[in-house]
Amino acid sequence: MNLLAVELRKDVLEANRDLVDRGLVMGTFGNVSGVDRDAGLFVIKASGVPYEALTPAHMVPVSLETGEPLETDFRPSSDTPTHWELYRSFDGCGGVAHTHSASATTLAQARLPVRCLGTTHADHFRGDVPVTREMTREEVDGAYELNTGVVIVETFHEGGISPEEVSAVLVANHGPFTWGKNAAKAVEHSAVLEFLARLECMILAVAPDVPRPADYLIDRHFLRKHGSKAYYGQG
Amino acid sequence: MNLLAVELRKDVLEANRDLVDRGLVMGTFGNVSGVDRDAGLFVIKASGVPYEALTPAHMVPVSLETGEPLETDFRPSSDTPTHWELYRSFDGCGGVAHTHSASATTLAQARLPVRCLGTTHADHFRGDVPVTREMTREEVDGAYELNTGVVIVETFHEGGISPEEVSAVLVANHGPFTWGKNAAKAVEHSAVLEFLARLECMILAVAPDVPRPADYLIDRHFLRKHGSKAYYGQG
Amino acid sequence: MNLLAVELRKDVLEANRDLVDRGLVMGTFGNVSGVDRDAGLFVIKASGVPYEALTPAHMVPVSLETGEPLETDFRPSSDTPTHWELYRSFDGCGGVAHTHSASATTLAQARLPVRCLGTTHADHFRGDVPVTREMTREEVDGAYELNTGVVIVETFHEGGISPEEVSAVLVANHGPFTWGKNAAKAVEHSAVLEFLARLECMILAVAPDVPRPADYLIDRHFLRKHGSKAYYGQG
Amino acid sequence: MNLLAVELRKDVLEANRDLVDRGLVMGTFGNVSGVDRDAGLFVIKASGVPYEALTPAHMVPVSLETGEPLETDFRPSSDTPTHWELYRSFDGCGGVAHTHSASATTLAQARLPVRCLGTTHADHFRGDVPVTREMTREEVDGAYELNTGVVIVETFHEGGISPEEVSAVLVANHGPFTWGKNAAKAVEHSAVLEFLARLECMILAVAPDVPRPADYLIDRHFLRKHGSKAYYGQG
């Protein structure tokens, strides 16, 4: 194992632990990965290992070219092919996180998007977080986890959504995937998405037909934090 | 007391404490038991003892044949006959847990099942978690706690539901019972059930008429974690 | 100060702290009192003192005969006359607690009772927890806090409700009061009431027209924990 | 930097940390400021700095006359012009807090006020907490953060609402701002507002058309805690 992957493993382990600390997973659910595109690999949590038992050794390196594990000590997360597909299709994607967090999963089960209804949302995602279509029997009976990734990518391509501007998705009847420039950012987006999904669930309960905010408000908030004209933070 | 039961008592005590740590009980509510079929007994929490005061001595051994306590130091949980009935009727059942956790109890009071609406559910239970019918005056005025077990078993038999595939039930106007291969697994299922019930309550509030996921998706998720073709975890 | 009241102060202080530990109050909201009927007094939390600063000296003794403080170091809770009225009217009442806990206050503001929809409720309260009528301008502009107690007592008398069997009430547009055989029990009832109110809020959101459970089920559960035929606990 | 501002910085830092401890912010969201009108300045949290890294040096002094930072080590919060506008327009305002707390933000996104439905509300705010109108494209594309303050002030002036009696507002599709006699009180009002917004969300879900309480009840509660006839606390 080269040294770069050792650092990456530490980062990805840290990000997996962060997922637990933020209350986004229950039991052994959920997984985070991070990529090193120059090294041609990503590392991802081993399958079904309790979070408190995780060490860097449980962060399994996977080839970016073949999607196959580069080590055989531990079996990688069963969701590995989904992560792989996202790394292959979304250029700027440096880390991926998957949770079954309560509110985001509720909306995924209701097959409803997380609508962009305010500045909290627009500070992070420029527009609705979409929900995928249902998967077909062929997709589920075949390479299910890979096809989950394929359907996510299709959702962005067909919807004309930029995965850089909206770095999250709800997979229908399943749950959320998020991504970012690295594993830590992917987890942060999972936390933000769960918060926004919680607001969306509350709004659907109290005022489902609320009008949307104006586009110029969304753009103002997204662009004050992202891109060349950002003026949030210490820059 | 034989040694085996001593180990069992420790496991059951640990499982009872786990019930509290997971936030599934309030006050002295709730109880967990575990069975040793070879020794012909199960052990269950004593009735009404505060959780922080529990010791292995408060785990009361009960005859699997007669349903009567094998020791007289402490009175077993008043729900003991319900546990007994489940051990007698469900062959693979090694542990039973009963809580009044908030969302599962809400659905029990609403006499609504926990519908299987996604993969989080299907990872654990293959289909809806059913709710029992109302109990009759005769059942309640008679051997109430035993009859609670009888009605649970009837729900599974008449509904054609496998207690191995769906290891949880809501007792109408009462609350959830769960089971598993041992006491620890029964508690884990209580935690999962409460999470799923929480999602179901949210969905009922925001999108009650959501379509169900396809059976092939449910089967795929249940079978990737259970049975001979499972490929989740370190195998 | 006599010794008995010193012990009572410690108990009431402990009960006030318990109110905070159970997450039932925010800021300086809420108050607990306990009575010593033989000594002719009750003690109650001083008004507006932060919970973390409370000492036994902040538990102000009040005459059961006149409702006036017996010491002048600290002003008693502004809700003191409400407590006094409950001690005068409800014979078995040994302690009173008042909170603004979230779900119970929501129902109080919605002027809805906490319906008895299941065994969790029936284990503690034999029937609905009632909500008072609105108070008149004369009642509010006059001896407001005393009249709050008067309206509570009226609710039980006119509704034919036993304050021993239902030891809790929601004051319309205000919040819950609970009582019990001592201050600790009053607080426990506040915690149970909040839990039941939370279930009621959830049920109103997901299945408002759910049928009520049979009376025989309610009676069975209440009587297995209360009265001469109780068989719950170590007896 | 003069000594007074050093004390103010410590107070404002403390208030910012309090915002986190009370669970009102996520990530680097939210900001608190405090004013020293004699010194002609207010201090506010630096933009985008993680809460755990904050020191008094990150509390940036800003001129009350020009709205411009008096030091250049750190960029002040991007919401600084909103705070400035509130200090300029609301005479009694000594501290301002801004959060994206869940329930208050939900109502802001639903463009619904926090109705005054009970005594918990009336103890703090004399009447509904209003929601602003939508901002125009010109207001958003121009001096957005300053205009946010202008729209808040307009909401109070046009609605005939006293900012001393109702020290909180929801900005449409954005979130809550609160104020008080100092930074600590502003944060306390943020916590109270979030609690009241949580009740309002629950009531909208379970009984949206509940009648309002009588004005005399609201006044009684507000005035027993505020003004010359207050009789709550140790006086």
Side-chain angles (χ1 to χ4, degrees):
Chain A
M1 213 55 245
N2 63 49
L3 270 178
L4 221 100
V6 169
E7 283 306 307
L8 182 61
R9 283 169 178 222
K10 287 184 188 166
D11 291 346
V12 172
L13 172 58
E14 190 56 41
N16 272 285
R17 286 183 178 146
D18 195 25
L19 211 64
V20 179
D21 293 344
R22 288 170 182 263
L24 297 171
V25 293
M26 190 187 57
T28 61
F29 278 35
N31 41 68
V32 185
S33 68
V35 75
D36 181 340
R37 291 185 184 271
D38 293 335
L41 59 80
F42 65 97
V43 306
I44 188 167
K45 200 188 69 153
S47 182
V49 178
Y51 278 94
E52 60 274 17
L54 288 181
T55 67
H58 293 100
M59 301 299 116
V60 184
V62 178
S63 164
L64 204 48
E65 194 185 335
T66 66
E68 293 299 318
L70 297 169
E71 290 180 8
T72 56
D73 293 346
F74 296 100
R75 195 188 291 177
S77 166
S78 51
D79 293 319
T80 297
T82 314
H83 292 237
W84 183 46
E85 181 62 20
L86 295 182
Y87 287 125
R88 290 202 300 178
S89 302
F90 293 165
D91 286 346
C93 173
V96 173
H98 172 48
T99 79
H100 289 230
S101 66
S103 303
T105 303
T106 295
L107 291 172
Q109 294 191 170
R111 295 190 203 155
L112 293 171
V114 185
R115 292 175 298 168
C116 180
L117 292 180
T119 62
T120 319
H121 190 118
D123 281 337
H124 296 89
F125 307 124
R126 195 177 188 176
D128 295 3
V129 172
V131 61
T132 66
R133 64 165 170 83
E134 243 194 313
M135 291 172 75
T136 65
R137 177 184 289 274
E138 287 66 37
E139 285 167 338
V140 170
D141 287 349
Y144 168 58
E145 289 85 0
L146 182 67
N147 289 334
T148 300
V150 170
V151 169
I152 293 172
V153 172
E154 177 197 304
T155 302
F156 279 71
H157 286 181
E158 300 208 344
I161 307 164
S162 157
E164 305 243 346
E165 293 187 344
V166 179
S167 51
V169 72
L170 303 178
V171 177
N173 297 112
H174 187 152
F177 283 83
T178 59
W179 49 91
K181 70 178 177 189
N182 54 38
K185 273 289 171 187
V187 170
E188 187 184 317
H189 289 161
S190 284
V192 168
L193 177 66
E194 174 59 17
F195 185 79
L196 297 172
R198 191 175 148 210
L199 300 199
E200 175 70 3
C201 284
M202 283 202 278
I203 283 199
L204 287 170
V206 306
D209 300 323
V210 63
R212 285 172 170 273
D215 284 346
Y216 53 77
L217 182 67
I218 302 310
D219 288 348
R220 176 83 192 206
H221 268 263
F222 187 78
L223 297 174
R224 86 177 186 172
K225 280 204 176 181
H226 303 85
S228 61
K229 296 189 177 165
Y231 60 97
Y232 179 91
Q234 296 304 322
Chain B
M1 212 53 245
N2 63 50
L3 272 178
L4 223 98
V6 169
E7 285 306 307
L8 183 61
R9 283 169 178 221
K10 287 182 189 167
D11 292 346
V12 172
L13 172 57
E14 190 56 41
N16 273 286
R17 285 181 179 149
D18 195 25
L19 211 64
V20 179
D21 293 345
R22 287 171 183 262
L24 297 171
V25 294
M26 190 187 56
T28 61
F29 277 36
N31 42 68
V32 185
S33 68
V35 75
D36 181 339
R37 291 185 183 272
D38 293 334
L41 59 80
F42 65 97
V43 305
I44 188 167
K45 201 189 69 152
S47 182
V49 178
Y51 277 94
E52 60 275 17
L54 288 181
T55 69
H58 294 100
M59 301 299 115
V60 184
V62 178
S63 165
L64 205 48
E65 195 185 334
T66 67
E68 293 299 318
L70 297 169
E71 291 182 5
T72 55
D73 293 347
F74 296 100
R75 194 187 292 177
S77 165
S78 51
D79 293 319
T80 296
T82 313
H83 291 238
W84 184 45
E85 181 62 20
L86 295 182
Y87 286 125
R88 291 202 300 177
S89 301
F90 293 162
D91 287 347
C93 173
V96 174
H98 172 47
T99 79
H100 289 232
S101 65
S103 303
T105 303
T106 295
L107 291 172
Q109 294 191 171
R111 295 188 203 158
L112 293 171
V114 184
R115 292 174 298 168
C116 179
L117 292 180
T119 61
T120 318
H121 190 119
D123 281 337
H124 295 90
F125 307 125
R126 196 178 189 176
D128 294 4
V129 172
V131 61
T132 66
R133 63 165 171 82
E134 245 195 313
M135 291 174 73
T136 66
R137 178 184 290 273
E138 287 66 35
E139 285 167 337
V140 170
D141 286 350
Y144 168 59
E145 289 85 0
L146 182 66
N147 290 334
T148 300
V150 169
V151 169
I152 292 172
V153 172
E154 176 197 304
T155 301
F156 279 70
H157 285 182
E158 301 208 344
I161 307 163
S162 158
E164 305 242 346
E165 293 187 344
V166 179
S167 50
V169 72
L170 304 179
V171 177
N173 298 111
H174 187 155
F177 283 82
T178 59
W179 49 90
K181 69 179 179 187
N182 54 39
K185 274 288 172 187
V187 170
E188 187 184 317
H189 289 161
S190 284
V192 168
L193 178 65
E194 174 58 17
F195 185 79
L196 297 171
R198 191 176 147 211
L199 300 198
E200 175 71 3
C201 285
M202 281 200 279
I203 282 200
L204 287 170
V206 307
D209 301 322
V210 64
R212 287 171 170 274
D215 284 346
Y216 52 78
L217 182 68
I218 302 310
D219 288 348
R220 175 85 193 204
H221 268 263
F222 187 77
L223 297 174
R224 84 176 188 172
K225 280 205 175 180
H226 303 86
S228 62
K229 296 191 177 163
Y231 59 98
Y232 178 91
Q234 296 304 321
Chain C
M1 211 54 241
N2 64 49
L3 270 178
L4 222 99
V6 169
E7 284 306 307
L8 183 61
R9 282 170 178 222
K10 287 183 188 167
D11 292 346
V12 172
L13 173 57
E14 190 57 40
N16 273 286
R17 286 181 178 148
D18 195 23
L19 211 64
V20 179
D21 293 344
R22 288 169 183 263
L24 298 170
V25 295
M26 190 187 57
T28 61
F29 276 37
N31 42 69
V32 185
S33 68
V35 76
D36 181 340
R37 291 184 183 274
D38 292 335
L41 60 82
F42 65 98
V43 305
I44 188 166
K45 199 188 71 151
S47 182
V49 178
Y51 277 94
E52 61 275 18
L54 287 180
T55 68
H58 294 100
M59 300 299 117
V60 185
V62 178
S63 165
L64 204 48
E65 194 184 334
T66 66
E68 292 299 318
L70 297 169
E71 290 180 5
T72 55
D73 293 346
F74 296 101
R75 194 187 292 177
S77 165
S78 51
D79 293 318
T80 297
T82 313
H83 292 239
W84 182 46
E85 181 62 21
L86 295 182
Y87 286 126
R88 291 202 301 177
S89 302
F90 293 163
D91 287 346
C93 173
V96 174
H98 172 48
T99 79
H100 288 234
S101 65
S103 302
T105 303
T106 295
L107 291 171
Q109 293 191 171
R111 296 189 202 156
L112 293 171
V114 185
R115 292 174 298 167
C116 180
L117 293 180
T119 62
T120 319
H121 189 119
D123 281 336
H124 295 91
F125 307 125
R126 194 178 191 176
D128 294 2
V129 172
V131 60
T132 66
R133 63 165 171 81
E134 243 194 316
M135 291 174 74
T136 65
R137 176 185 290 274
E138 288 66 36
E139 286 167 337
V140 170
D141 287 350
Y144 167 59
E145 289 85 3
L146 183 66
N147 290 333
T148 300
V150 170
V151 169
I152 292 172
V153 172
E154 176 198 303
T155 301
F156 279 70
H157 285 184
E158 301 209 343
I161 307 164
S162 157
E164 306 243 343
E165 293 187 345
V166 179
S167 50
V169 71
L170 303 179
V171 177
N173 296 111
H174 188 156
F177 283 81
T178 59
W179 49 91
K181 70 178 177 189
N182 54 38
K185 274 287 172 189
V187 171
E188 187 184 318
H189 289 162
S190 284
V192 168
L193 178 66
E194 175 59 16
F195 185 78
L196 297 171
R198 193 178 144 207
L199 300 197
E200 176 71 4
C201 285
M202 282 201 278
I203 283 200
L204 287 170
V206 306
D209 301 322
V210 64
R212 285 172 170 274
D215 284 346
Y216 52 77
L217 182 68
I218 301 310
D219 287 349
R220 176 82 193 207
H221 268 264
F222 187 78
L223 297 174
R224 87 177 187 171
K225 280 204 175 181
H226 303 87
S228 62
K229 296 188 177 167
Y231 60 98
Y232 179 91
Q234 296 304 322
Chain D
M1 210 57 241
N2 63 48
L3 270 178
L4 221 99
V6 169
E7 284 306 306
L8 182 61
R9 284 170 176 220
K10 287 183 189 168
D11 292 346
V12 172
L13 172 57
E14 190 56 42
N16 273 285
R17 286 182 177 148
D18 195 24
L19 211 64
V20 179
D21 293 345
R22 289 169 182 262
L24 298 170
V25 294
M26 191 186 56
T28 60
F29 277 37
N31 41 68
V32 185
S33 68
V35 75
D36 181 340
R37 291 183 183 273
D38 293 335
L41 59 82
F42 65 98
V43 305
I44 188 165
K45 200 188 69 152
S47 181
V49 178
Y51 278 94
E52 61 273 18
L54 289 180
T55 68
H58 294 101
M59 300 299 117
V60 184
V62 178
S63 165
L64 204 49
E65 195 184 334
T66 66
E68 293 300 318
L70 297 169
E71 291 180 6
T72 55
D73 294 345
F74 297 100
R75 195 188 290 177
S77 165
S78 51
D79 292 319
T80 296
T82 313
H83 292 239
W84 183 46
E85 181 62 20
L86 296 182
Y87 287 126
R88 290 202 300 178
S89 301
F90 294 163
D91 286 346
C93 173
V96 174
H98 171 48
T99 79
H100 288 233
S101 65
S103 304
T105 303
T106 295
L107 291 172
Q109 293 191 171
R111 296 190 202 156
L112 293 171
V114 185
R115 291 176 297 168
C116 180
L117 292 179
T119 62
T120 319
H121 189 119
D123 281 337
H124 295 90
F125 306 124
R126 195 178 190 175
D128 295 3
V129 172
V131 61
T132 66
R133 63 164 170 80
E134 243 193 316
M135 291 172 75
T136 65
R137 177 185 289 275
E138 287 66 35
E139 286 167 337
V140 170
D141 287 349
Y144 168 59
E145 289 84 2
L146 182 66
N147 289 333
T148 299
V150 170
V151 170
I152 292 172
V153 171
E154 176 199 303
T155 301
F156 280 70
H157 284 183
E158 301 208 345
I161 307 164
S162 157
E164 306 243 343
E165 293 187 345
V166 180
S167 52
V169 72
L170 303 178
V171 176
N173 297 112
H174 187 154
F177 282 82
T178 60
W179 49 91
K181 70 179 176 188
N182 54 39
K185 274 288 172 189
V187 170
E188 187 184 318
H189 289 162
S190 284
V192 168
L193 178 65
E194 175 59 17
F195 185 79
L196 297 171
R198 191 177 146 209
L199 301 197
E200 175 71 2
C201 284
M202 283 200 279
I203 284 200
L204 286 171
V206 306
D209 300 322
V210 63
R212 286 171 169 275
D215 283 347
Y216 53 76
L217 182 67
I218 301 311
D219 287 348
R220 177 80 193 208
H221 267 264
F222 187 79
L223 297 174
R224 87 177 185 171
K225 281 204 174 181
H226 302 87
S228 61
K229 294 188 177 167
Y231 59 99
Y232 179 91
Q234 296 304 322

